[in-house]
Amino acid sequence: MGRMHADEAETDADLVRLLLRAQFPHWADLPVTRLASGGTVNAIYRLGEDLTVRLPLRPGGAEAIAMEARLLPRLAPLLPLPIPEVVATGAPGEGYPLAWAVHRWIEGRNAVEGGLAEPEFVARDLAEFAVAIREIDLPGGPPAHRGGPLTAEEQEVREAIEALRRTDEPFDADEITAAWEEALAAPLWTGPACWTHSDLMPSNLLLAGDRVSAVIDFGTVGMGEPATDLVPAWNLLPASARRVYREAVDVDDATWARSRGWALSMAVIQLPYYRKNNPIISANARHVIREILGTPYSGGQ
């Protein structure tokens, strides 16, 4: 994993030990190991057997530390799958400029597109989560990271499509543009804003056996429209499980079309930015684009 952002903070295991020694000395002698991750916001280190240390790479990630500390305990009992537990929050120090956090370790392996042994089981687990979070009645939620209309992504998507034209990626930019315009043509969400995770990438899903064991990284959580939490239909599930998922989440054609647009926008924006420095994210972005360009929208797929 290369350096992803020009302004990202430098981190390593020695820094983690220094921060712990200064602020949480009772953990300072535990083993520290950096974890491979497709994440783009935080560096994650395993701390002993039961904890992880999460160091934001940029100021925007640090802003999520306080939000998660406030919201995760309120959301956890209302959701059908385990989510992160914040054990402690740390302050800037030892040359590291951002707030950081210690989380409880959750056992599981990251989901990977094309690697599901029982995709229909995964589809049902994710649908249960998507339905449960949108039905939460909990006041005081912030706007979700992708809480506005799909049209808010228009400029960034168009710029990313043009950036893709200048690469050697094997995609037809005109086909991507047509699929994007099809998604934009879907009717806008007119219902009330609901709770959404807003970033259900495979790297934010943990599996145990053939089932989803946890949903992690709630830095984007907040109030928005439900289509943003349907993106696993395109970034993880094969076509057969996609049908199972759609039936279980029970949404109309417009919401399903917007979910396809959200998945496409995320992939198209990610690919030119991360193609050289994050192989996990870029591989998933290519997967999404292939799935969407090969799956014309018919209201049922």
Side-chain angles (χ1 to χ4, degrees), residues 3 164 170 182 208 228 270:
R3 184 179 178 88
L164 278 178
E182 186 176 40
T228 56
Q270 289 163 349

Side-chain angles (χ1 to χ4, degrees), residues 135-240:
E135 293 180 349
I136 287 175
D137 182 13
L138 186 65
H145 175 62
R146 298 179 177 92
L150 187 60
T151 52
E153 307 298 303
E154 166 77 345
Q155 180 177 345
E156 195 169 2
V157 168
R158 298 284 182 174
E159 291 173 353
I161 291 172
E162 292 310 307
L164 278 178
R165 288 187 193 273
R166 299 189 293 272
T167 72
D168 58 359
E169 295 290 339
F171 298 112
D172 186 320
D174 292 335
E175 287 186 35
I176 295 174
T177 299
W180 173 242
E181 290 176 349
E182 186 176 40
L184 288 177
L188 297 177
W189 173 251
T190 58
C194 57
W195 281 92
T196 67
H197 179 282
S198 297
D199 195 26
L200 292 180
M201 297 285 293
S203 56
N204 289 333
L205 305 172
L206 297 182
L207 304 181
D210 298 326
R211 307 300 296 266
V212 181
S213 60
V215 177
I216 60 175
D217 197 344
F218 278 66
T220 57
V221 75
M223 308 298 290
E225 70 133 319
T228 56
D229 277 352
L230 307 184
V231 294
W234 318 101
N235 68 26
L236 180 63
L237 300 173
S240 58

Side-chain angles (χ1 to χ4, degrees), residues 250-282:
D250 189 25
V251 295
D252 59 23
D253 286 354
T255 301
W256 191 247
R258 289 194 307 277
S259 77
R260 190 169 176 262
W262 280 110
L264 181 63
S265 71
M266 293 166 69
V268 169
I269 291 167
Q270 289 163 349
L271 186 51
Y273 190 89
Y274 293 112
R275 62 192 295 267
K276 298 292 188 181
N277 54 37
N278 190 318
I280 296 173
I281 288 287
S282 55

Side-chain angles (χ1 to χ4, degrees), residues 11 56 66 89 136 209 239 246 257 259 264 280 287 295:
T11 76
T89 56
I136 287 175
R246 168 135 198 217
S259 77
L264 181 63
I280 296 173
H287 170 82
T295 312

Side-chain angles (χ1 to χ4, degrees), residues 12-36:
D12 58 26
D14 289 339
L15 172 64
V16 174
R17 293 188 188 96
L18 287 172
L19 288 167
L20 291 170
R21 189 163 290 114
Q23 301 182 38
F24 304 109
H26 53 293
W27 291 324
D29 294 326
L30 294 174
V32 176
T33 307
R34 182 154 187 175
L35 300 177

Side-chain angles (χ1 to χ4, degrees), residues 69-189:
R70 177 172 62 88
L71 292 179
L72 290 178
R74 300 168 68 195
L75 292 171
L78 306 176
L79 292 170
L81 291 169
I83 67 174
E85 177 189 348
V86 180
V87 180
T89 56
E94 311 305 315
Y96 177 74
L98 304 172
W100 52 285
V102 180
H103 286 187
R104 189 79 60 197
W105 171 260
I106 304 176
E107 196 63 49
R109 68 186 190 280
N110 284 119
V112 179
E113 65 278 1
L116 301 179
E118 296 288 348
E120 287 80 8
F121 290 167
V122 172
R124 292 188 180 93
D125 291 340
L126 290 176
E128 184 181 10
F129 178 88
V131 171
I133 196 168
R134 79 186 186 209
E135 293 180 349
I136 287 175
D137 182 13
L138 186 65
H145 175 62
R146 298 179 177 92
L150 187 60
T151 52
E153 307 298 303
E154 166 77 345
Q155 180 177 345
E156 195 169 2
V157 168
R158 298 284 182 174
E159 291 173 353
I161 291 172
E162 292 310 307
L164 278 178
R165 288 187 193 273
R166 299 189 293 272
T167 72
D168 58 359
E169 295 290 339
F171 298 112
D172 186 320
D174 292 335
E175 287 186 35
I176 295 174
T177 299
W180 173 242
E181 290 176 349
E182 186 176 40
L184 288 177
L188 297 177
W189 173 251

